[in-house]
Every structure is written in C-alpha cells, then in structure tokens.
Amino acid sequence: MATQHHLHLLHFILILSIIAIQTFPAYACIEDERDALLTFKAGISDGIRHSLSSWDEGQDCCRWRGVVCDNTTTHNILELNLRNPYQDWDNWTDYALSGEINPSLLALNHLTRLDLSNNNFSGISIPEFIASFNNLTHLNLSYSKFDGKIPHQLGNLSKLHSLDLSRSAFIGTVPPQLGNLSSLRYLSLSWAFNDTSTLNNDNLEWISQLASLKYLDLEGTNLTNAVNWLHIISRLQSIKVLLLSFTNLPSIPNSLSYVNFTSLTTLDLSNNWQWNTTLPSWLWNLTNLSYLNLESCQLHGKIPNDLAKLTSLTYLNFKDNNLEGPLPSWLWNLTNLSYLNLAYSQFHGKIPDALGNLTSLIYLNLRENNLEGPLPRSIGKLLNIEEIILSSNNLQGNLPNELEHMMNLKHLDLNNNSLVGTVPLGIGKLQNLNFLNFSSNCLHGVISEAHFANLRQLNNLQLSSNSLIISVGRNWIPPFQLSILSLQSCQVGPQFPTWLRWQRQIDELYLSNTSITSTLPHWLWSLPIQVLDLSYNNITGTLPGYLKSTRFFVLDLKFNNLEGPLPPLPDELVFLDLSNNSISGPLLELLPSFICYLSLSNNLINGSIPSSICELASQMVVLDLSANHLSGELPRCWQQGSLLEIMNFSNNNITGEIPPSVGSFTSLLSLDLSNNNFYGELPSELQHCKNLVLLNVGNNHFSGKIPMWIGEKLLNLVYLQLRSNMFDGSIPPQLAQLTALQVLDLSYNKLSGSIPRSFGNFTGMISSSVWDGNNEISIGYDTFIDRDSDDYSMGSFIYRDNLLLVMQGKVSEYSEILYLVRTMDLSGNNLSGVIPEEIGALRHLRNLNLSGNHLTGRIPGQIFDILYLESLDLSSNNLSGAIPQSISKLTFLNHLNLSYNNLSGRIPSGSQLETLNDPSIYIGNAYLCGPPTSKNCSGDTAAPNSTSNYANGSETSICWSYLGMGVGFWGVYAVLLFHGIWRYAYFRMIDNFFDNIYVAVAVSMNRLRNKYG
C-alpha cells in the first residue's frame, strides 16, 4: 500500500509540475527590456508582412521573433536577430524593417549579438549609441542601406568578434579607431562605400593592429592610394580569408622579404584590372591555399611551375588575363581541384589526356583561348563534372563517345570550334543535362529523336551553324521543355517543325536559314516566345491579325515571302525586321511605344509616313523604311533629344524639302534619303548632326550650292554622296576638312569651276587604315534580356549601310565591304581647269572618275603615284598631251577610260597595261597611236594647233550639227564628211549621250531589283 501511495504522490507532483510550467514560463523577460523593445517597435515600420507581429504586450518577449534571452537565471536579452530572411526574394521589402532605431535599446545592457541585416534603413546613419553595447560580440548591419559615416565610436566595442557593414552606402573612410578591436576575428566592409569614397594608404594602417583577424573582406572598396597594402596585410599572422576584389589596388608586389600570412586558405584579388604584371613569386609560399582567384588582373606571361606547390587548391581562377603558353603539366596533379577557370587568356596547345586525373572537378572553363587538337577521351573520367565550357578555341576532331559517361553533367558548351563528324547518340544518356551548345562547328549528319531520349532536364539547346539535319517524327513529343532553341543554318524544313507546339516554356526561338518553305502554323503565335528569328527562309503566307496579343519583343522575319498588310503589333515589341518581303498596304498609324529597331525595307508599303513616327523616333536607334512605295512629304515634327542613329528613307517616292527638324537628331550616324523626289536646298540645321558618318541624298532634285558647313561641321563623315542632283556653283574647298572621308561622290550635278587642290588632303584616302566602324551597327538582344551572355549565343540585329557607286564603269551596290571602298567621283559636271597634281597623294584611292567635264591640260604624272588605283576614268574631257609612261606603275588597274580627249603620242605599254587591250579605252583621241589601237606610230606624232580651237568652239560646232539635222540628213552628212572637228564633236556627243543613258538605266534597274527581287 505504501508503494501505491508513493506512486499516487509522484503522479500528483508531476501534474502540478506540468501545470506550473504551462502557467509560469521557464523564464520571462525583464519588464524594462520588454518596454525597450516595444518603444523600438513603435519607431519602426515592419513592412506590409508585419514581420514583428509576434511582439505583443501580452506575451513573454523572450518568445518574440528574433529575441534570445538568457535561459538560466537572469533572463536578460542576449541576442536581437532581426535579419530579413528574404534577401534573395524579389519582394524582400515586404518583410524589411525601416524607420528610426530608438536609443531605448540601450536598456539591453547584456546584449551580445545585434543583427539588423537585409533591412531598409535608407537615409539614416548608424546610431552612435550602438557603441555603448559593451558586451557586444557580433554586430551585423549589412545589406540595410545605412549611409553617412561609419561612427568612430565602434572602436570602443572591445569584445567584438564579428563586424559586418557590407553592402551599405557610407561616405568618407574607415575610422582608424576600428584598429582598437583587438578581439575582432571577422570583418566585412564589402561594397560598404559609395563610388566616390577612397581609402588612402594611411587608413590601412589600422588593419595591422587586428592581430586576431581571420577573415577580412574589403571587396569593392576603393584602395587606389594603398601602395603598401600587401606589407600591411602580411602582418596579419592569423588571417585565413582575404577578399580584395574590385578594390583598384595600384599594384601587386612581385616579391616579399618574408611571408607571414602562410595560414591563408582563401585569397581573392580578382578584378584589379590595372596591374599588368606577372604572377607574384610570394604566392607559392601560401601552401595552405585552397581558394585562389586572380580573375581580370591583367596578368601576363606563363604560369610558373612553382605554383605546383599549392597542392591543397580546390578552386583556381585565372580567367580573363593575358597568360600564355601551353597548359602547365603540373596542373593535372592538383587532384583536389573542383573548380578550374582559365578562360579568356592565350593558352595554346592541346588539352592533354592527363585532364582525366582531375576526378574531383565539378567546373571546367577554358573558353576563348588558342587550344587545338581533339578533345581527350579521358574527359569521360570526370564523373563529378557538372559544367564544361571549351567554346571559342580551335578544337578539332570528333566528339568523343566517352562524353556519355559524365552522368552528372549539366552544362556542355563546345561552341565556336572546328569539331567535325557526327553527334554521338550517347549524348542522349546525359539525363541531368540542361544546357547543350555545339554551335559554329563543322558537325554533320542527322540529329534524331534518339539524341534526346533521356534529356528530360534540357532547357537550352544550340546547334546552329553546322551542317546538321534535324530529323524527328511529325508526331514526336520531346521529353524536355526548352526555354531557348537555336538551330540557325541547320536543315529543319521544308515544313515548320511540329514538335515545337509542345514547348510551352520557350522564350527564344532561332530558326534562321533553316530551309523552311511552308506557312507558319497558327499555334506558333500562342507560344510564350519573346524572341523569334525566322529570317532567311522562304516562309509564305500572311502575318496573323492577332499578332498584337503575343509577347514578342524581338521579331525577325526578314528575307522571306510574307505578304499582305502589316497587322497591329505587340505593345512590348522592341525589335522588328520584316525587310525583303512583300508586305503591302500603308504604315500603321500606331506603332509599339517601345520600338527601338524598325526595318521594313524592300517591301511594297505605300501611302504617306504617319506623323506619329516622330515621337517614336526619339527612342529609336534604327529606322529603315527604304525601298518601298512611300509618298508624300517627311513629317516635320521630329523631336530633340533623339537616340536615332540610322534613318533610311531611300528608294521611295517621297517629295518636298528636308524638314529642318531632322537636324535635331544629334546622335545620327547615317542619313540616307537617296532616290526620291526631294527638292530645295539642304537645310542648315543638318550641321547639328555632327556624328554623321554617312550622308546620302543622291538621285533627287536638290539645288543650290553645296553647303560649306558640310566640310566645317560634319567632320566625322566617311561617306558623302550627292550625285544626280542639281547642285551648282563651285566645289567648296572646305570639303577637304573631312579627313576621314573615303567615299566622295558629287557626280552628275551642275558643278563648275576647278577641282580644289586641297582634295589631296583626305586622310581616309591616303592612309592604309580603314574606318573602324565597319559601316554597320549591331544591337544585341541581350540589351533587353537579363542574363549572363557568357552562357548564351545571343542574337543581334545588324544594320549595314549601303551605297550605289559607279566603279570600274558599272553601277554596283556596296554594303558588307563598303568600309573598304575609297572612291572619288566628280563625273558629269561642268568642271574646268587642270587636274590638281595634289590628288596623287591619295595613295589608297581605288577609284577616280573625272569623266564628262571640261578639264584641260595634261594628265599629271602624280596621278600614277596612286599605286592602289583600280579604276581610272578621265574620258570626255579636253585633256591634251601624251599619256605619261608612269601609268604602267598601276599594277592593280583593271579599268581605264581615256576616251574622247585630245591626247596624242604613243600609248604607254608594260605591266598591267598589257591586260587593258580594248581599243575603246582610247577612242576619240585622233592623235594617239600604238597598241591596242590600229594606228601605227611613225616618228613623233603631234596634235595640230587646231586642237585649241576645238577646245574653245566645240559647243558651237555641236549646235550647228543640230541645225544641220534640221536641213536634212544629206546636209549633215556632207558637213560631217568634210569637217573633221565637227565630225569628232558629233560622235563625242552621241557617245556621251549613250553613256548617260547607260548609267540612268543601270541605277533604275538596280532600284527595281531591290523592290521586286
């Protein structure tokens, strides 16, 4: 009975204990400290998610979120952990604290840890009273947007072990009083200062006093003046982690007299771009290093063999330097390596079989080096590898079958090499693969369903620029969901691939030049595609009327056979290229408000240009509506502050004057209004377009004098074409100030006077270097896509200027090689006087055409100093005297026309002239003799004095010839039969007439070809 009594008593005591625990907590916070917290909360906004909602007066504050109390006897608050846990979440501010930090917290005089990180205290400084927490060992205020100066009073926290002030916006410098924190083991000031703050050398001395420091992070701190940084850091004998990336350190000493910090395990000095030195010798004394990052430090030379001593390395990053030589052999002995990045350097040679020794490797990046040879078969031994990037080298040979053994592989990039052969079927076994890029190689053969059998994780597939045939069943349903697919220049067609309808997550689709000839399926427009490139196919049909409801911001359908009207476009469209189709109808009155690149050239669009385009042009970069049937006048509402760089309205039926407001396009690089019906004078406002590289207003009805301001203000001009207008007066010598000019075409106007002698000053025609702009503008899609361009073959829109030029006696269009062209064409004017000998200084001029003028005198021998001249036309002038023998120096000459002048004497021979054996080259020069003409030379043949009479009276003779035609054929025939000079002038007139007809027909035919294919 006694035992049973005791059991009942114990049971009763246990129940009382449970009731006591539930009724009276094991510990309760001190009332003064609870009140202090409530006062603190009153001055704080805890976000729309109310992250301090548990701080309620009716509850024990030791149970509040982030509050940690002493659970022994005193019940004092020891820790206040108010870190926002949603740092990487888009809506992190929903949980962030903000407002003022109340000094009431001073009541927490036993506080050892204070964490306010990842909140939003923007606009306030760190409260100085925080330095009064004498027991504080951990202080974390990172990622909370504190600004102002770092309070020097923090140096009073003598017990502090950890201080994190990273990702703030402080001004000034680090207070040297922080050197008093003798117990400090962890210090992070990563990106703590705004861009204008600079620490000088004196400010670093305080670091050497932190004898207990093991972790130091100064990433993003401007240390431009810290000349002795390494000597100061070397005094920290306990340091294990040193992070000094993006610090603008002025230099890195190559040697140290004594290396004290051998305990270092992590060293990051990356992105100090200005060093330009070799690898420092003290590095190989740090034998405990497991992490070494020297990315983007302008290091050069070979990697010393002494680095082989760092056998503990697990992370090695020398990316983006100028290191050279073969890959060091000792590298393959670092069997602990899990991360190796030697990308963007100048390593050459082969990847050795010893690569297979690195069995711990998870990441390998050798992108953009000069590596060659085959991929070693030993690569299949890297069973832990997750990411391989070997793109942009010169790797050759076949893809090894051993790739199929790397079952952990997630990312494989072999883009832009010289790999050959077929893609092994074993690729389909890599069930974890999510990124595959074999683009820009020499692969061939068929890609079948078997290649994708187990690729359930595949997200990004790029096989473009190979000779691959994509052959899958019409009813095939892929096991993957792609976000990016690039098959450019592979054979996909003739039908549009039906399996794409199941890709419900696809963002970007690149199928240009894939032999698709069908219409586009209706389901294509319901996919969530943002970037669509179907250019250079033969796709037929029309664009859907519901195109506006799609998500496209890039739509590239150029060079297809699309027809019909332009439907309303998606609101978010940024790039649109429908050039070289058969789109018809008027331009839309309302275009997308974010449009940046618009090219509708070479279509059948008609009507006028809507004035609404003026406002859009202020944010556009490229506006190309050339080669359509547009009419009416240009809108006059163009706005200032425009970003427009390209404006092309050429080959239309636009009339009127150029609106002065076009001069507001101060960023304009190319203005092409050629082949229209513009008239009037060039507006003086165009002189404000000082960045112009190309100005083409040829084949219009412009009149007046060529403005002097073209030469005085448009100093960046490389291409100037004013041909086939009605400009009159003399050529302004100011044009010679355009030193970069490579194309000068003033042909077929009414210009008179002499050729300026200053035309020998065009540096662009003298120098061998060509304009580095390459007459094109490229706008990458990545401007509008937020992602790492290293990982993706980004698409881009490329706009190239083009010009119709008369070269070598025929009209040709120059686009891709326009930047190589150097030509001067002053033909078809009324220029007189002699040919300036200064033109001979233009040594790299390729084409010189002065035909159809009234030039007199001898051909200056200096012209034949233009050693690269390929085409020379001096026909239909009044030139006299002998042809200089020095013409034989022109070894590149392949077109020559000296016809219809008054040249005399023996035709020179030798070298390139032997290939120019067409007698018509010299026709109309009665006193020339020798091959290739049929007239033999007998002694010295000289022209009679009557030649000068012809020069003065030929126009009158031509007028009388027309009068004779009115009398009758026989009268004209008799006159021509007995009057030699008249006979010569008559046939010269006929020849010039047909020359003009030829040029006009050639230009018109080229224009029609552009419009109708």
Side-chain angles (χ1 to χ4, degrees), residues 282-560:
W282 50 266
L283 276 178
W284 34 91
N285 293 318
L286 306 179
T287 54
N288 289 312
L289 269 186
S290 62
Y291 182 107
L292 177 59
N293 189 351
L294 293 174
E295 176 184 336
S296 299
C297 290
Q298 287 298 305
L299 300 171
H300 58 78
K302 295 182 178 180
I303 299 179
N305 289 332
D306 289 314
L307 275 182
K309 299 176 183 177
L310 307 184
T311 56
S312 299
L313 278 177
T314 61
Y315 182 105
L316 180 60
N317 187 355
F318 287 157
K319 176 185 174 182
D320 195 18
N321 284 288
N322 294 312
L323 299 171
E324 58 187 29
L327 296 171
S329 57
W330 54 263
L331 192 61
W332 320 115
N333 297 326
L334 302 179
T335 54
N336 293 317
L337 268 184
S338 61
Y339 182 103
L340 176 60
N341 192 342
L342 304 178
Y344 300 104
S345 286
Q346 300 178 35
F347 294 109
H348 60 78
K350 297 182 178 180
I351 301 175
D353 286 334
L355 172 66
N357 297 342
L358 304 183
T359 54
S360 299
L361 209 58
I362 295 175
Y363 178 95
L364 173 64
N365 190 349
L366 304 177
R367 178 191 179 100
E368 285 204 34
N369 280 281
N370 299 311
L371 302 174
E372 58 186 5
L375 275 173
R377 297 175 62 182
S378 62
I379 198 170
K381 296 180 180 179
L382 306 181
L383 301 183
N384 293 306
I385 196 80
E386 295 181 2
E387 192 161 347
I388 297 178
I389 304 173
L390 303 177
S391 55
S392 298
N393 283 284
N394 190 30
L395 299 175
Q396 300 123 9
N398 295 320
L399 292 168
N401 291 324
E402 286 75 11
L403 289 173
E404 67 182 51
H405 301 313
M406 299 183 290
M407 300 304 294
N408 288 311
L409 193 63
K410 298 178 180 178
H411 186 116
L412 178 58
D413 188 355
L414 303 178
N415 167 51
N416 195 23
N417 280 286
S418 300
L419 298 169
V420 298
T422 59
V423 178
L425 288 175
I427 288 290
K429 298 180 180 179
L430 303 178
Q431 58 189 13
N432 290 306
L433 197 65
N434 61 45
F435 181 101
L436 177 61
N437 191 347
F438 289 159
S439 297
S440 300
N441 280 284
C442 303
L443 301 172
H444 63 83
V446 175
I447 298 293
S448 65
E449 298 173 19
H451 287 91
F452 306 112
N454 294 301
L455 304 186
R456 295 178 180 84
Q457 304 300 320
L458 194 63
N459 177 262
N460 188 317
L461 175 62
Q462 301 183 39
L463 303 176
S464 62
S465 300
N466 284 288
S467 298
L468 296 170
I469 301 171
I470 312 300
S471 178
V472 295
R474 186 171 180 81
N475 297 319
W476 179 56
I477 300 178
F480 48 72
Q481 285 292 322
L482 297 177
S483 64
I484 297 177
L485 173 64
S486 177
L487 301 177
Q488 295 161 308
S489 298
C490 295
Q491 183 176 329
V492 176
Q495 297 298 313
F496 194 86
T498 56
W499 60 270
L500 285 176
R501 72 183 305 171
W502 308 112
Q503 299 303 298
R504 299 299 182 183
Q505 299 175 16
I506 192 160
D507 288 326
E508 302 176 39
L509 179 60
Y510 304 94
L511 295 179
S512 67
N513 191 30
T514 52
S515 304
I516 298 174
T517 60
S518 65
T519 57
L520 296 176
H522 65 89
W523 48 260
L524 173 66
W525 312 107
S526 63
L527 294 177
I529 301 174
Q530 293 183 331
V531 177
L532 178 62
D533 183 357
L534 301 177
S535 59
Y536 296 98
N537 285 291
N538 288 301
I539 297 170
T540 59
T542 61
L543 293 171
Y546 48 86
L547 186 63
K548 184 177 178 62
S549 63
T550 61
R551 299 179 55 202
F552 297 121
F553 64 79
V554 172
L555 187 57
D556 190 352
L557 299 173
K558 62 177 175 282
F559 285 94
N560 280 287

